[in-house]
């Protein structure tokens, strides 16, 4: 079935790095733009980043620009989020999500299960 | 940036009642690029409605969306016990700057 399975995450000290992964299955991964969305504890949803179907175009929320790098390996059907210079305010559950019809102007129809990132000394 | 404001913050209703949730945008959302999501505790969000009024795959017909421009509504015609959750609206008009509303918590009265 169509699914996104996330891995990575954990507890990290401020200023350190972490990498998240998101493995896709059940659909033609290389045809879809993909997103990361995060949710701080007890808070709402915040869009983090978008990557085009081919990995060439990437867009980031101002809150993570210059620190996070979104990439994909279409041969492995996998997304990656490299998070550097982590801050306490990056503490959140991170979700990967699929653009419904693969386009930028689409809702997010398939979500990963989420992975917790805690930035704390 | 398009700011989405949801109301009410919390809605207390009983099973069988009708729920009406509102989402207001700070500027017009063109071509109704607006979605609604449901999120239950410990779960990822689930897409309910896209394009303001189109139900996503597998979503029961008691869920309906309406509106255009700056005012949008999610209606649940008759609440089932599993419908009590938090609901978010999202605009994807100003991509790649996507924004979500702050959420409406639908709780059992």
């Amino acid at each position: 079935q169509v699914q996104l399975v996330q891995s990575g995450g954990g507890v990290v000290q401020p200023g350190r790095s972490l990498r998240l992964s998101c493995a896709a299955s059940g659909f033609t991964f290389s045809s879809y733009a993909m997103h990361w969305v995060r949710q701080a504890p007890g808070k709402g949803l915040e869009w983090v980043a978008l990557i085009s179907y081919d990995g060439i175009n990437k867009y980031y929320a101002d809150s993570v620009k210059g620190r996070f790098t979104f990439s994909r390996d279409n041969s492995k059907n996998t997304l990656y989020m490299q998070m550097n210079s982590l801050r306490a305010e990056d503490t959140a559950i991170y979700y990967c999500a699929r653009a419904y019809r693969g386009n930028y102007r689409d809702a997010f129809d398939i979500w990963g299960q989420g992975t917790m990132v805690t930035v704390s000394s | 940036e398009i700011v989405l404001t949801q109301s009410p913050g919390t809605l207390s209703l009983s099973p069988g009642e009708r729920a009406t949730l509102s989402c207001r945008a700070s500027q017009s959302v063109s071509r109704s690029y607006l979605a609604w999501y449901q999120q239950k505790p410990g779960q990822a969000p689930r897409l309910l409605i896209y394009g303001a009024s189109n139900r996503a795959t597998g979503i029961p017909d008691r869920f309906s969306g309406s509106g255009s421009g700056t005012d949008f509504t999610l209606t649940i015609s008759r609440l089932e016990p599993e419908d009590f959750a938090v609901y978010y609206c999202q605009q994807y008009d100003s991509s790649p700057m996507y924004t979500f509303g702050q959420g409406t918590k639908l709780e059992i009265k």
Side-chain angles (χ1 to χ4, degrees), chain A residues 35 37 39 43-45 47 50 59 95 100 104-109 111-112, chain B residues 30 33 35 37 39 43-45 47 50 88 90 92-93 95-98 100:
Chain A
H35 299 267
V37 176
Q39 186 170 36
K43 302 297 185 182
L45 301 168
W47 173 79
L50 157 70
Y59 303 91
Y95 296 99
Y100 175 46
Y104 290 5
R105 273 180 161 173
D106 272 338
F108 305 172
D109 69 329
W111 294 65
Chain B
S30 63
Y33 288 126
Y37 298 86
Q39 188 179 33
Q43 296 185 16
L47 176 64
Y50 65 93
Y88 295 95
Q90 177 212 21
Y92 47 100
D93 180 20
S95 66
M97 290 301 297
Y98 306 85
F100 292 88

Side-chain angles (χ1 to χ4, degrees), chain B residues 14-84:
Chain B
S14 301
E17 291 192 292
R18 180 184 185 92
T20 303
L21 287 66
S22 174
C23 176
R24 177 162 290 178
S26 60
Q27 56 189 277
S28 183
V29 177
S30 63
R31 298 186 67 179
S32 298
Y33 288 126
L34 187 114
W36 290 93
Y37 298 86
Q38 176 193 68
Q39 188 179 33
K40 297 179 180 179
Q43 296 185 16
R46 178 173 72 144
L47 176 64
L48 299 175
I49 301 287
Y50 65 93
S53 60
N54 302 289
R55 273 188 301 276
T57 303
I59 302 304
D61 61 7
R62 64 180 182 273
F63 291 90
S64 63
S66 62
S68 64
T70 60
D71 289 293
F72 298 88
T73 300
L74 174 70
T75 301
I76 310 171
S77 60
R78 195 160 57 212
L79 285 166
E80 298 287 343
E82 62 267 27
D83 298 336
F84 292 90

